[in-house]
Amino acid sequence: MTRRYLLSLSLCLPLLAGCWCIQSVPPVDPIIDVEPVITGLRVLIVEETADRPKLPASQQSIFTSVKVRQYLREHSIEFRVLDRNDVAGDWKGISDTSKPAAVPWLYVTAGNRIVCTDPLPQSVDAFLALIKTYAEPR
Amino acid sequence: MDFIFDPDSADPAIFDGGPCGCKPRDFDAVPVGSIPCAAAASFPLIPRSEWSARIRDMEERKARLSDLMEFEEVPCLNQEQLSFCHGFSPCEAIMALRATQGQPFKLLSASSIAAPVTGFRDAGAFIHDDLEQISKVGCASVEFVPMLQVSEDGFRDGWEADAAKYRVTEWWDLGQRDGTMFDRVATLLLSHIPVCSAANWWGHAFTLVDLVETSPGQFGVRFRNSWGPNWPQAGADGYAILNESKGTPDEAYAPRSIVVSA
């Protein structure tokens, strides 16, 4: 009985020691050599509809530009242009968290984080250049 | 290719696309400011001297409302033989506005607006009554009310709850035809905002989407009719152009504020 117990112990001890060794190896952080693309981007423009006629034509084009919509669709970016009195639903939390300093105002969010809160750029090209910095970093 | 619609010289057959059912507003009985859901339009006008350059810019950037509606596949509606143009025009305007806002496309039922307004009869009506209906109840999707529904028994349970998701809470009342009506319309169109228009010469309501320059210094409007995608000709998708004289509305409205879905 004692011999059988010792035999079992002699077989188990190396295994236990092995487990201990494996567990004691500190985790190694994976090396990331590329900046991760931020997923789940959402873009919200808050505006005052009655002020639209005062905006430069180049800035107004952001609202309906097919080039903008194509890019956003290709990159699965949700997009809204909402009057400041109409902001509702999931979008309300964004403008409530960070009130627009002026209108039109641009927000970009990634998940629950607001990554950009700025005046709306003045043209389609400037707008897309800004959005690309989040959708296609580097 | 744009179709220039000159009603004075057009083939009479072009008027056979569908019935007209827009009763002209009596501005003495219903003056600007008296429609509860529609505030008097108050925005600065874009000077005519800027129109040509702005139109060119929108064309080059493909940023016209009609460009966006094509991209977002907002369809041309077809009222067929119903006299519900008073509901089809604002219905198309709501879908256009939702497209500009980036809201998901939803095919809305013009009959969900027009039929309750007419007491569930196929009849004409005042557009402002349809606007009130959209403001109080909303515009249901075709899942709840078929597009060509007249009787109440075709309105499915829950249609009002669905309509409330597509409610315009405030309209702009652009008033009646006067010396600056076309300028008010042009300002909204250059600002990418659709306009519900009624023309007394036609007894009809339709949706204005773009300001166009018909010849140097001469302007008109691109509108979308609700007589199906093959009006006024095959492939036109319901679009045609009216010159300033015929395209200036006798009454006009624009959606100012709208319920936003999540």
Side-chain angles (χ1 to χ4, degrees):
Chain A
M1 182 70 182
T2 306
R3 185 181 293 172
R4 191 179 297 166
Y5 172 76
L6 287 172
L7 184 61
S8 302
L9 196 62
S10 66
L11 287 170
C12 287
L13 275 174
L15 283 172
L16 286 170
C19 289
W20 172 257
C21 290
I22 289 167
Q23 286 175 353
S24 65
V25 173
V28 178
D29 286 334
I31 296 167
I32 300 172
D33 59 358
V34 289
E35 201 172 329
V37 173
I38 301 173
T39 56
L41 282 180
R42 305 174 95 200
V43 173
L44 170 64
I45 298 170
V46 176
E47 61 146 350
E48 170 52 62
T49 314
D51 288 347
R52 260 203 215 178
K54 298 179 193 168
L55 304 179
S58 60
Q59 192 178 38
Q60 282 193 9
S61 290
I62 297 169
F63 301 141
T64 49
S65 158
V66 168
K67 187 177 173 186
V68 166
R69 300 300 175 106
Q70 259 166 346
Y71 182 84
L72 297 169
R73 184 179 289 181
E74 283 166 11
H75 291 80
S76 304
I77 299 171
E78 263 196 279
F79 177 68
R80 294 287 189 281
V81 181
L82 301 177
D83 186 281
R84 59 180 162 192
N85 297 313
D86 294 341
V87 182
D90 296 346
W91 302 89
K92 195 167 187 316
I94 300 170
S95 59
D96 281 354
T97 303
S98 171
K99 295 280 183 197
V103 285
W105 196 259
L106 171 69
Y107 297 97
V108 182
T109 69
N112 292 327
R113 281 188 310 129
I114 297 175
V115 294
C116 169
T117 168
D118 270 327
L120 183 66
Q122 291 291 311
S123 69
V124 165
D125 290 341
F127 173 82
L128 284 174
L130 179 63
I131 299 302
K132 280 179 184 174
T133 62
Y134 299 102
E136 304 173 54
R138 268 202 264 165
Chain B
M1 186 66 180
D2 281 323
F3 183 92
I4 308 291
F5 178 33
D6 178 1
D8 294 332
S9 62
D11 181 343
I14 206 166
F15 293 99
D16 295 339
C20 303
C22 186
K23 294 183 182 175
R25 174 176 167 185
D26 179 349
F27 278 90
D28 290 331
V30 188
V32 173
S34 67
I35 302 172
C37 68
S42 57
F43 44 79
L45 298 180
I46 297 174
R48 279 186 182 244
S49 58
E50 294 181 17
W51 289 5
S52 295
R54 283 177 178 258
I55 290 168
R56 274 197 305 277
D57 186 72
M58 289 166 75
E59 285 172 354
E60 285 165 9
R61 291 176 190 278
K62 286 200 81 177
R64 298 172 300 186
L65 208 44
S66 57
D67 293 323
L68 180 68
M69 290 166 77
E70 183 184 354
F71 180 74
E72 298 289 354
E73 299 180 17
V74 178
C76 176
L77 302 180
N78 192 345
Q79 66 187 88
E80 297 194 7
Q81 292 309 307
L82 294 183
S83 304
F84 283 173
C85 64
H86 48 91
F88 275 77
S89 167
C91 183
E92 183 85 47
I94 296 171
M95 292 195 295
L97 185 68
R98 282 177 55 84
T100 66
Q101 291 181 326
Q103 296 209 62
F105 172 72
K106 194 75 178 172
L107 183 58
L108 300 177
S109 167
S111 292
S112 75
I113 309 166
V117 165
T118 59
F120 300 96
R121 294 178 299 116
D122 177 18
F126 298 105
I127 291 188
H128 53 80
D129 287 339
D130 291 69
L131 306 189
E132 281 289 287
Q133 173 72 13
I134 297 167
S135 171
K136 287 178 182 164
V137 180
C139 179
S141 63
V142 293
E143 283 83 10
F144 284 84
V145 180
M147 186 65 79
L148 302 172
Q149 183 65 39
V150 177
S151 62
E152 193 169 8
D153 56 14
F155 283 55
R156 299 201 182 115
D157 288 346
W159 78 270
E160 285 177 309
D162 185 62
K165 294 187 287 187
Y166 311 104
R167 204 162 59 86
V168 174
T169 50
E170 187 183 341
W171 296 85
W172 266 317
D173 183 352
L174 274 66
Q176 60 185 319
R177 184 175 182 136
D178 59 17
T180 58
M181 171 58 111
F182 193 77
D183 297 60
R184 296 194 289 280
V185 167
T187 294
L188 289 180
L189 297 180
L190 290 172
S191 303
H192 315 260
I193 296 170
V195 175
C196 300
S197 170
N200 291 349
W201 58 265
W202 200 354
H204 191 44
F206 41 87
T207 310
L208 311 182
V209 292
D210 300 325
L211 184 69
V212 297
E213 189 163 23
T214 51
S215 60
Q218 300 294 310
F219 300 94
V221 287
R222 181 177 289 108
F223 71 100
R224 199 172 209 190
N225 203 356
S226 51
W227 290 353
N230 289 323
W231 188 92
Q233 60 189 10
D237 209 19
Y239 291 111
I241 287 173
L242 286 166
N243 65 22
E244 179 171 347
S245 168
K246 293 293 183 185
T248 302
D250 289 294
E251 57 185 291
Y253 312 87
R256 159 82 177 78
S257 185
I258 192 169
V259 167
V260 174
S261 50

